[in-house]
Amino acid sequence: MNGTPEGTVDGTPEGTVDGTPEGTVDGTADGTAEGTVDEATHRTADEATHRTADEAAYGIAHRAEEAAPPVDPAPPWALLAELSHGCPLRCAYCSNPVELIGRSDELTAEHWSDIFRQAADLGVVQTHLSGGEPLLRRDLPAVVAAADAAAVHTQLVTSGVGLNERRLAALTAAGLRSVQLSVQHADPAASEHIAGARSFAAKERAAHLVTAAGLPLGLNVVLHRANLDALDAIVELGLAWGASRIELANTQFYGWALRNRDALLPSRAQIAAARARLEHWRPLLAGRLELVWVVPDYVDGVAKPCMGGWGALSLTVAPDGRVYPCPAAAALPGLDAPNVRDHSLEWIWRESPAFTLYRGESWMREPCRSCELRGRDFGGCRCQAYALTGDAARTDPVCSRSPDHALVRALVDRAAEREAVSAAPQYAYREGP
């Protein structure tokens, strides 16, 4: 998975050109010029989310009760294991929920061992050991060994802080197969401003340890207003650190990133310039360094096929055992996520209301219900629809065909106005659990 939805080219749905739906002009539906006034033009993002959490929770619960017979799902192939919400960094773009799970509520290594056995029986072949920061767990080698014993490929997703030669040797001996290292910027000072903590030297040290151990190293770089202009330097950093893959993941606005959206959202000009540099580098590095571009859906006007569809390809287990169709779904009120302490993973995947709620197409409203892209983008992201409109069942407003798309256009327009400000963005940094 690694952040790029399946069935996409660089995160762009098949059947589109440069991220623009076929049959549109400048990313707008039916050839309607951008800036056309429609019903949503007179609404702001704040007004659209005015509905209370109780109202939204009632809507989700009510739809779950009236849901159509569940679609028999294919087996999942990936599991995101959020081992802890604890983290030494305070990144402003963190997609962890604002309400973090405390360390005392975390699953034990024995719990995770049972989860990996169940996941393998269900069809899972790959797990991302993530957080927060998984290295905060002293029993991490036991967790890795449990996944390896279940024949589930393990990738450590880490800030690099706390990784040393001894710990890496223990993880490798336990069966760790690859490492994805987060990078905030190629410049140490800028990196640490974004991360809210001193960490750049630890990241560089971790990168060299991983490559010296012979493990594949990938870098994950969340792109936003403060680092898009440094794309060349980021690619050069990846080469210097021995990475085989860089995931250039334009910010997805959930959790802390949503709280910091005004400080993070780039302008259209920034995105265009970064794309041009990406296309410069790709042919030069073909076969040497893979560059993956996760689409900036706010700017592109195209709904991403989030997670390959709700409850379609993967599942997320939170630190306390609650299971979600995607990492951001914890923000949906009334979802009533099942807990692996109480239910089997098979029941959760196949039958639980949380997973069947938006699976398939029967839940869709117009314009999604009759859209020719509905089997490719699945109506976009449910969590994003809720974040922007207060209704998780609406068409994702990033889509140019959504009646709420003017909300997103207005946000991106304001980003262009902020681009001229030279001061470093001020963030509401992620807090610890």
Side-chain angles (χ1 to χ4, degrees):
M1 224 170 29
N2 293 332
T4 305
E6 184 170 286
T8 70
V9 178
D10 295 337
T12 304
E14 295 174 339
T16 68
V17 179
D18 297 329
T20 304
E22 292 179 331
T24 70
V25 177
D26 295 331
T28 58
D30 302 321
T32 305
E34 187 164 308
T36 299
V37 176
D38 57 22
E39 180 183 0
T41 304
H42 302 289
R43 301 164 61 198
T44 67
D46 290 338
E47 290 169 340
T49 55
H50 181 68
R51 294 194 334 155
T52 67
D54 286 344
E55 289 173 322
Y58 171 79
I60 289 176
H62 188 62
R63 280 191 294 275
E65 291 173 0
E66 296 185 344
V71 176
D72 186 26
W77 64 269
L79 183 148
L80 176 63
E82 292 186 333
L83 302 182
S84 175
H85 277 169
C87 189
L89 304 189
R90 304 169 59 216
C91 300
Y93 57 74
C94 182
S95 60
N96 281 161
V98 174
E99 297 294 330
L100 298 167
I101 295 167
R103 299 296 310 278
S104 62
D105 294 323
E106 293 172 2
L107 297 170
T108 65
E110 290 74 20
H111 284 129
W112 283 109
S113 180
D114 183 54
I115 289 167
F116 292 133
R117 284 195 298 269
Q118 291 188 58
D121 289 343
L122 198 54
V124 168
V125 296
Q126 177 176 337
T127 184
H128 299 284
L129 304 174
S130 184
E133 176 51 69
L135 287 170
L136 290 177
R137 291 191 58 136
R138 295 180 180 179
D139 60 358
L140 183 57
V143 174
V144 172
D148 189 62
V152 176
H153 182 281
T154 53
Q155 180 177 70
L156 179 67
V157 181
T158 178
S159 68
V161 176
L163 188 65
N164 55 40
E165 189 172 1
R166 177 184 57 81
R167 293 206 72 188
L168 184 59
L171 293 170
T172 304
L176 183 66
R177 303 300 180 187
S178 62
V179 175
Q180 185 184 78
L181 180 67
S182 69
V183 171
Q184 285 72 31
H185 202 290
D187 175 76
S191 173
E192 292 174 355
H193 176 70
I194 295 165
R198 294 183 62 181
S199 55
F200 189 85
K203 291 176 181 294
E204 185 172 23
R205 183 166 56 251
H208 293 315
L209 286 172
V210 170
T211 55
L215 291 175
L217 173 67
L219 303 184
N220 176 270
V221 186
V222 176
L223 297 176
H224 46 81
R225 183 157 63 97
N227 64 8
L228 268 164
D229 299 337
L231 192 138
D232 285 343
I234 289 168
V235 172
E236 290 166 354
L237 181 78
L239 290 168
W241 286 7
S244 59
R245 185 178 194 271
I246 303 179
E247 184 175 308
L248 299 165
N250 286 280
T251 301
Q252 309 296 299
F253 292 101
Y254 312 113
W256 294 90
L258 181 62
R259 179 170 287 190
N260 285 289
R261 183 174 57 196
D262 285 350
L264 295 169
L265 187 62
S267 68
R268 295 180 182 89
Q270 276 189 293
I271 292 292
R275 268 201 174 103
R277 298 312 301 162
L278 173 72
E279 296 311 317
H280 163 80
W281 282 107
R282 273 188 165 153
L284 297 177
L285 300 177
R288 180 182 175 193
L289 176 61
E290 181 185 8
L291 300 178
V292 177
W293 176 263
V294 178
V295 296
D297 53 355
Y298 268 52
V299 174
D300 283 1
V302 175
K304 59 179 178 285
C306 191
M307 308 302 292
W310 183 276
L313 300 175
S314 66
L315 62 168
T316 295
V317 180
D320 63 353
R322 283 178 286 182
V323 187
Y324 297 97
C326 75
L332 297 181
L335 186 64
D336 192 22
N339 197 300
V340 76
R341 302 178 199 248
D342 305 318
H343 302 282
S344 72
L345 212 56
E346 181 175 13
W347 178 86
I348 291 171
W349 177 256
R350 295 189 181 281
E351 300 182 41
S352 70
F355 274 73
T356 59
L357 181 58
Y358 298 116
R359 182 178 275 154
E361 300 178 5
S362 63
W363 61 272
M364 291 182 180
R365 306 172 186 165
E366 294 295 349
C368 293
R369 183 178 290 273
S370 60
C371 179
E372 72 277 11
L373 297 177
R374 66 186 182 279
R376 300 175 183 176
D377 63 22
F378 313 105
C381 176
R382 300 302 88 225
C383 303
Q384 191 153 262
Y386 171 72
L388 288 165
T389 72
D391 183 353
R394 289 184 72 81
T395 299
D396 188 341
V398 303
C399 178
S400 60
R401 303 181 183 191
S402 165
D404 302 307
H405 184 59
L407 300 173
V408 177
R409 287 207 307 267
L411 290 168
V412 178
D413 288 344
R414 289 205 297 270
E417 298 170 4
R418 289 189 294 269
E419 188 178 8
V421 179
S422 58
Q426 298 302 305
Y427 302 125
Y429 286 110
R430 178 194 192 275
E431 299 171 2

